[in-house]
Amino acid sequence: QVQLVESGGGLVQPGGSLRLSCAASGFTFSSLHMNWYRQGPGKERELVAAISSTGGIANYADSVKGRFTISRDNPKNTLYLQMNSLKPDDTAVYYCNTNLDRRTYWGQGTQVTVSS
């Protein structure tokens, strides 16, 4: 029943911007902490950003701090990741994630490719 669906990925030039979305359903979205992860070629999956249930607290990986912004619209059950000043090292599949009742849930991922 829990479903997370990412969208908004694509090909962008270095220095460009993208906004990723994650549409959530099957649970009370407003009660849960949400996360964005990414996995680049030949790399382990890493936590990019996290946000509290109300959106009042956000945390970021050092590599994206100052460039990415995580946000959420609880009435729309949607999580966002605004990505600015993109670099080739940001190339990865980006995943929406949450934890509920001792289980971890993932979306299918959306590909972000930063290249000239």
Side-chain angles (χ1 to χ4, degrees), residues 56-69:
I57 302 173
N59 292 288
Y60 301 90
D62 287 343
S63 59
V64 307
K65 197 169 295 182
R67 300 188 297 120
F68 290 13
T69 302

Side-chain angles (χ1 to χ4, degrees), residues 5-9 19-23 36 78-81 96 110:
V5 181
E6 302 95 334
S7 62
R19 189 194 195 199
L20 306 183
S21 298
C22 171
W36 284 102
T78 304
L79 177 72
Y80 302 99
L81 185 67
C96 178
T110 186

Side-chain angles (χ1 to χ4, degrees), residues 21-91:
S21 298
C22 171
S25 61
F27 64 98
T28 305
F29 178 74
S30 61
S31 71
L32 296 185
H33 178 109
M34 300 294 297
N35 310 288
W36 284 102
Y37 282 78
R38 69 184 182 187
Q39 187 166 22
K43 300 178 181 178
E44 295 185 352
R45 189 171 297 186
E46 65 175 347
L47 179 64
V48 176
I51 190 166
S52 63
S53 60
T54 64
I57 302 173
N59 292 288
Y60 301 90
D62 287 343
S63 59
V64 307
K65 197 169 295 182
R67 300 188 297 120
F68 290 13
T69 302
I70 188 171
S71 62
R72 64 194 297 161
D73 188 337
N74 283 345
K76 294 183 178 180
N77 289 351
T78 304
L79 177 72
Y80 302 99
L81 185 67
Q82 178 66 46
M83 305 186 296
N84 299 327
S85 301
L86 284 162
K87 305 174 181 179
D89 283 350
D90 295 319
T91 295

